Amino acid sequence: MELTLHKREAKTKGALSKIRLEGNIPAVIYTPGGPTETVFIPKAEFETLLRTVKKGRLSTTLLTLKAGQEKFKALVKDIQYHFATTKFCMLIF
């Protein structure tokens, strides 16, 4: 299963709200011993992926993340939801 990543430069609350309004999900990628990367994923693409994963298996599903020409494997470490709407707020890999 493959997800397309897009770099995000701005880290302000307003910029994150704009990303969400455009139908994307902000995400953070942690690498061992390396810097964190802030990105966003198209919401429709992530929801399509969720429909293919068996219930309760997302945390053990190995995903392929694609950023331009670079591809790497990752696991979802955490998903944060909006407290009132239960929409996706942030993904952490």
Side-chain angles (χ1 to χ4, degrees), residues 5-8 19 25-29 37-41 93:
L5 302 178
H6 304 278
K7 274 199 168 267
R8 63 180 163 103
I19 287 171
I25 303 171
V28 178
I29 302 194
E37 290 186 52
T38 54
V39 296
F40 66 87
I41 298 168
F93 294 99

Side-chain angles (χ1 to χ4, degrees), residues 67-88:
Q69 299 297 326
E70 184 182 359
K71 288 185 180 182
F72 51 96
K73 304 284 185 183
L75 291 171
V76 174
K77 184 174 181 171
D78 188 28
I79 297 177
Q80 297 174 0
Y81 297 93
H82 188 276
F83 67 95
T85 63
T86 66
K87 292 182 180 177
F88 300 114

Side-chain angles (χ1 to χ4, degrees), residues 36-82:
T36 60
E37 290 186 52
T38 54
V39 296
F40 66 87
I41 298 168
K43 183 179 178 183
E45 194 173 312
F46 185 69
E47 287 176 342
T48 301
L49 173 114
L50 282 181
R51 285 192 289 273
T52 63
V53 175
K54 290 184 182 180
K55 190 173 183 175
R57 301 279 186 192
L58 182 62
S59 63
T60 59
T61 301
L62 193 60
L63 304 173
T64 302
L65 304 179
K66 181 181 174 188
Q69 299 297 326
E70 184 182 359
K71 288 185 180 182
F72 51 96
K73 304 284 185 183
L75 291 171
V76 174
K77 184 174 181 171
D78 188 28
I79 297 177
Q80 297 174 0
Y81 297 93
H82 188 276

